[in-house]
Amino acid sequence: MASQSRHISEQIDRHADDVYEYASNPANLPEWAPGLGSSVENVGGRWFVETAGGRVGVAFAERNVYGVLDHDVTLPSGEVVHNPMRVLPDGDGCEVVFTVRRLPGMSDEDFARDAGLVQADLTRLKHVLEAG
């Protein structure tokens, strides 16, 4: 059975290539995605983020010309959560779309909280990139 999804998006007044370049670098996550975690570390070519629930692994899709920023988050339990994310060109700017998926057993409140955290992170990404 397919899971429930919610597409969260943000228009950013920067060229899609600029947004992709910045957002695809895991070292930038603490600046624009504190909803994911507070610090990031590269250990042996693998990226880890310190979260409230413990250390998680983050692996982005291979670099590509299509704006695909899908990434897998490996939770402390070993469970892997796949997160679809895209940077879509839109004239001189772009739209960033993140698909939040309801995990098995997730309450309505937790699903809404996750969606709100993602929206806050995308809004922060917009502010960081439009200011710079």
Side-chain angles (χ1 to χ4, degrees):
M1 176 186 208
S3 63
Q4 181 182 3
S5 297
R6 188 174 297 169
H7 303 289
I8 311 295
S9 68
E10 187 69 63
Q11 294 292 133
I12 300 178
D13 191 19
R14 285 285 298 268
H15 193 274
D17 291 342
D18 296 338
V19 174
Y20 178 85
E21 192 64 33
Y22 178 83
S24 67
N25 182 348
N28 294 327
L29 285 170
E31 186 174 0
W32 70 269
L36 176 60
S38 58
S39 66
V40 64
E41 179 181 23
N42 185 315
V43 178
R46 295 186 59 212
W47 290 94
F48 296 92
V49 177
E50 204 56 51
T51 74
R55 187 175 180 175
V56 301
V58 178
F60 278 94
E62 295 291 323
R63 293 187 64 76
N64 61 85
V65 297
Y66 305 108
V68 175
L69 285 174
D70 290 7
H71 53 284
D72 290 334
V73 175
T74 304
L75 303 176
S77 67
E79 177 185 8
V80 177
V81 178
H82 181 70
N83 299 285
M85 185 175 175
R86 304 288 187 276
V87 178
L88 308 170
D90 186 12
D92 291 334
C94 68
E95 179 180 17
V96 177
V97 181
F98 188 107
T99 301
V100 178
R101 292 210 169 120
R102 182 189 292 251
L103 299 175
M106 181 179 267
S107 70
D108 290 343
E109 294 78 18
D110 286 342
F111 187 49
R113 180 187 53 78
D114 278 2
L117 290 171
V118 168
Q119 183 63 68
D121 287 348
L122 294 184
T123 299
R124 193 170 294 101
L125 178 64
K126 172 186 178 71
H127 293 306
V128 166
L129 288 167
E130 289 182 356

